[in-house]
Amino acid sequence: MPRTTDGDGTPVPQRLLAAATRLFAEQGYDRTSVQEIVEAAGVTKGALYHYFGSKDDLLHEVYARVLRIQQERLDAFAGADAPVEERLRGAAADVVVTTIDNLDDAMIFFRSMHHLSPEKNKQVRAERRRYHERFRALIEEGQEAGVFSKATPADLVVDYHFGSVHHLSTWYRPDGPMTPQEVADHLADLLLRALRP
């Protein structure tokens, strides 16, 4: 059985994901070989296949780990005991910050999603749909309560916000003029202004 950690205690799956993320971001998913990934992670191919069935599984996990974090955080915002506009603003800002914090993962995913197997692609779409539906439910809750305008359908509001989020990897730079939180605050404020009755 492959070792589960290296000398500094980093679990092999994390090392493989870190190496794959870096290589996919630098040279693209399709131009990265399994051999390059295992060499960068300092493990054998056997270790990779012990934890991930294929390079496709690695690509899926790069995105899935971010989406899991975002889903947990959205669930916490949505379920909090606070006014709906506060919960929506928190969730809208949080998805921006967590995307920027994982910018390589987001960039890889949107650039390489078409490389996923049909089964994995379907799974990812279902996971994203669950996230978007929970986010949309907050907007609908506010619309039903009269806190948010019903002039724009909730689906379109969700697409508007996530269109901005999905393009962060094309323009955001860590050394740019705004911090992740400042970008998040601006985009969350834009969303709430669009929903004002």
Side-chain angles (χ1 to χ4, degrees), residues 62-63 66 99 102-111 169:
V62 163
Y63 185 65
V66 178
T99 298
N102 298 280
L103 216 49
D104 278 350
D105 306 59
M107 178 184 65
I108 290 161
F109 181 75
F110 290 110
R111 207 169 55 187
S169 64

Side-chain angles (χ1 to χ4, degrees), residues 10 13 22 25 32 35 44 68 73 83 85 120-121 126 143 147 154 171 178 183-184 188:
T10 305
R22 190 179 72 254
T32 301
Q35 187 61 40
T44 63
R68 278 194 300 273
R73 293 172 66 91
E85 61 269 33
K120 286 267 189 283
N121 202 306
Q143 287 175 328
V147 175
W171 66 266
M178 286 189 283
V183 174

Side-chain angles (χ1 to χ4, degrees), residues 171-179 182:
W171 66 266
Y172 182 80
R173 298 291 170 266
D175 59 352
M178 286 189 283
T179 67
E182 287 171 335

Side-chain angles (χ1 to χ4, degrees), residues 67-127:
L67 193 55
R68 278 194 300 273
I69 292 165
Q70 290 176 331
Q71 185 71 56
E72 284 171 19
R73 293 172 66 91
L74 173 59
D75 290 343
F77 280 110
D81 184 20
V84 68
E85 61 269 33
E86 196 177 304
R87 289 181 282 137
L88 178 63
R89 190 189 186 290
D94 183 73
V95 73
V96 173
V97 171
T98 54
T99 298
I100 290 173
D101 285 348
N102 298 280
L103 216 49
D104 278 350
D105 306 59
M107 178 184 65
I108 290 161
F109 181 75
F110 290 110
R111 207 169 55 187
S112 307
M113 183 180 170
H114 63 283
H115 290 293
L116 286 173
S117 67
E119 181 186 318
K120 286 267 189 283
N121 202 306
K122 186 177 176 184
Q123 187 180 343
V124 164
R125 288 184 187 282
E127 290 162 359

Side-chain angles (χ1 to χ4, degrees), residues 21-93:
T21 300
R22 190 179 72 254
L23 290 167
F24 293 165
E26 288 172 2
Q27 54 194 46
Y29 172 81
D30 52 337
R31 290 185 301 281
T32 301
S33 70
V34 168
Q35 187 61 40
E36 288 173 304
I37 295 167
V38 297
E39 284 175 9
V43 300
T44 63
K45 280 187 181 176
L48 184 145
Y49 293 122
H50 175 76
Y51 293 104
F52 302 96
S54 64
K55 192 171 83 161
D56 185 57
D57 286 348
L58 271 169
L59 177 61
H60 175 256
E61 184 57 24
V62 163
Y63 185 65
R65 66 182 170 177
V66 178
L67 193 55
R68 278 194 300 273
I69 292 165
Q70 290 176 331
Q71 185 71 56
E72 284 171 19
R73 293 172 66 91
L74 173 59
D75 290 343
F77 280 110
D81 184 20
V84 68
E85 61 269 33
E86 196 177 304
R87 289 181 282 137
L88 178 63
R89 190 189 186 290

Side-chain angles (χ1 to χ4, degrees), residues 144-185:
E144 291 307 312
V147 175
F148 300 147
S149 169
K150 289 185 178 181
T152 305
D155 278 338
L156 195 55
V157 176
V158 171
D159 289 343
Y160 160 78
H161 186 66
F162 285 94
S164 301
V165 172
H166 297 265
H167 280 91
L168 286 166
S169 64
T170 65
W171 66 266
Y172 182 80
R173 298 291 170 266
D175 59 352
M178 286 189 283
T179 67
Q181 191 61 55
E182 287 171 335
V183 174
D185 289 340

